[in-house]
Amino acid sequence: MILIDGKKVAEEIKLELKSEVDVLRTAGKKIPHLAAILVGENPASMAYVNNKVKSCADAGFVSTLIKKEGNISEEELLKVVEELNQNPDIDGFIVQLPLPKHIDELTVTMAIDPAKDVDGFHPVNFGKMAQGLPCFLPATPYGITLLLKYYNIDTVGKNVVVVGRSHIVGTPMSILLSRKGADATVTLTHSRTKNLEEIISQADIVIAAIGIPHFIKADMVKEGAVVIDVGINRVEDDTAIKKYKLVGDVDFENVAPKCSYITPVPGGVGPMTVVSLMKNTYLAALNKNAR
Ligand code: GUN
């Protein structure tokens, strides 16, 4: 079993980005600038956004964090989005999800200028992705494809089972892996899927993105399978200082011995999401520099 070290791969990519940013700086060109809007005080979202800001600093990017109260109206939030759309200094920005219930996530996503949508969530980018056109790829699925490439894990003709159909991970992942180049045969499964365990047990590659701690058990997974765990679930742990620990969607301890490759949680997919977002932001800045 080979443990996929997302932290290490992400650090390498961050260093590459840093040297590319140094080149831009030396040439007097625009330094990539990512902005993030954080609404409310969801602890997980705060942690993710802080991570994104810190990673930007590590790679020499400029970043701006815009914090808004959880009771901000949708209208006010749309104004903030529009300001960032118009601000020529911001190359790309994200609105951290989930948003409070009174705000419609799709309305906010649709308000983002697709040229600055470094999360790749706007339907224009999503549609381009589906057609294999140049676009910003959604960060988590993009990061997973980078990990698979780094470890030379072949996807051509492989039987991939994606568990979970979210707009952020499962659905775009299934599209990316079935596109030309990746050429996998993908089954996208969800809460209404029949015979889920049987389908997972036939997978060469399992991508678990359902948000249920330890959902994927050892008896569901084929011997020698590749298992990619996207879950970041907080479960109570009285022995931990923070009183919780992070666990994935995979029962790692029991599944890992059966796998050819597996990602840990934390330190697997999570760090790759952040660097993918940065790669998109770098691309957005390059596009501006080219104009
Ligand atoms: N919430 C969970 N994952 C993501 C992500 O990749 N981008 C944003 N904006 N919110 C998220």
Side-chain angles (χ1 to χ4, degrees):
M1 184 274 292
I2 293 174
L3 192 63
I4 296 180
D5 190 345
K7 194 159 181 274
K8 183 188 83 172
V9 180
E11 286 303 324
E12 283 182 21
I13 295 174
K14 235 193 270 178
L15 280 179
E16 283 167 22
L17 283 170
K18 186 173 186 317
S19 59
E20 281 163 17
V21 170
D22 286 343
V23 172
L24 291 178
R25 188 176 288 109
T26 309
K29 297 208 166 145
K30 190 172 182 318
I31 306 298
H33 187 166
L34 173 72
I37 305 175
L38 175 64
V39 179
E41 301 199 337
N42 176 325
S45 292
M46 286 160 77
Y48 297 150
V49 168
N50 287 335
N51 235 332
K52 290 170 185 175
V53 169
K54 185 188 167 297
S55 292
C56 279
D58 289 348
F61 284 33
V62 182
S63 66
T64 299
L65 174 56
I66 300 166
K67 287 187 187 169
K68 294 288 169 190
E69 300 278 338
N71 61 4
I72 187 175
S73 67
E74 185 176 295
E75 200 186 345
E76 279 299 315
L77 182 59
L78 289 172
K79 273 193 206 149
V80 180
V81 167
E82 193 46 31
E83 277 163 25
L84 293 177
N85 282 342
Q86 299 299 336
N87 184 341
D89 198 46
I90 305 286
D91 297 302
F93 67 96
I94 65 156
V95 181
Q96 187 66 28
L97 304 178
L99 289 169
K101 296 252 174 308
H102 65 279
I103 299 176
D104 183 50
E105 289 183 354
L106 184 61
T107 303
V108 175
T109 303
M110 299 270 280
I112 299 173
D113 177 352
K116 293 192 176 190
D117 168 39
V118 283
D119 255 334
F121 293 170
H122 191 286
V124 165
N125 281 313
F126 206 93
K128 286 181 175 175
M129 173 196 65
Q131 296 195 333
L133 300 170
C135 63
F136 297 120
L137 298 176
T140 300
Y142 182 22
I144 292 169
T145 62
L146 295 174
L147 270 186
L148 294 174
K149 279 200 193 105
Y150 187 95
Y151 282 87
N152 289 318
I153 297 169
D154 190 16
T155 54
V156 178
K158 292 289 162 62
N159 191 7
V160 175
V161 174
V162 179
V163 189
R165 60 179 158 185
S166 73
H167 290 172
I168 296 180
V169 184
T171 298
M173 187 80 258
S174 69
I175 294 169
L176 275 182
L177 288 177
S178 50
R179 277 188 350 184
K180 250 196 179 5
D183 296 309
T185 304
V186 183
T187 307
L188 179 58
T189 66
H190 47 78
S191 55
R192 309 296 295 268
T193 297
K194 294 204 174 99
N195 306 324
L196 180 61
E197 296 188 12
E198 191 188 324
I199 293 168
I200 295 171
S201 72
Q202 288 164 16
D204 302 309
I205 302 174
V206 180
I207 314 249
I210 24 166
I212 301 174
H214 290 177
F215 181 83
I216 306 286
K217 305 274 191 255
D219 59 4
M220 299 179 187
V221 175
K222 182 169 84 173
E223 198 71 46
V226 175
V227 173
I228 305 293
D229 190 351
V230 184
I232 307 179
N233 308 292
R234 288 180 177 218
V235 297
E236 274 183 33
D237 180 1
D238 285 339
T239 65
I241 296 169
K242 292 179 176 168
K243 299 288 172 211
Y244 72 85
K245 65 175 177 181
L246 296 179
V247 301
D249 290 351
V250 176
D251 177 8
F252 182 88
E253 200 184 333
N254 296 308
V255 171
K258 292 184 83 175
C259 298
S260 54
Y261 294 85
I262 187 166
T263 59
V265 176
V269 172
M272 295 303 294
T273 297
V274 181
V275 290
S276 302
L277 179 68
M278 295 175 66
K279 277 174 88 72
N280 282 345
T281 308
Y282 174 74
L283 203 67
L286 275 196
N287 288 343
K288 277 233 191 86
N289 276 322
R291 269 183 219 151

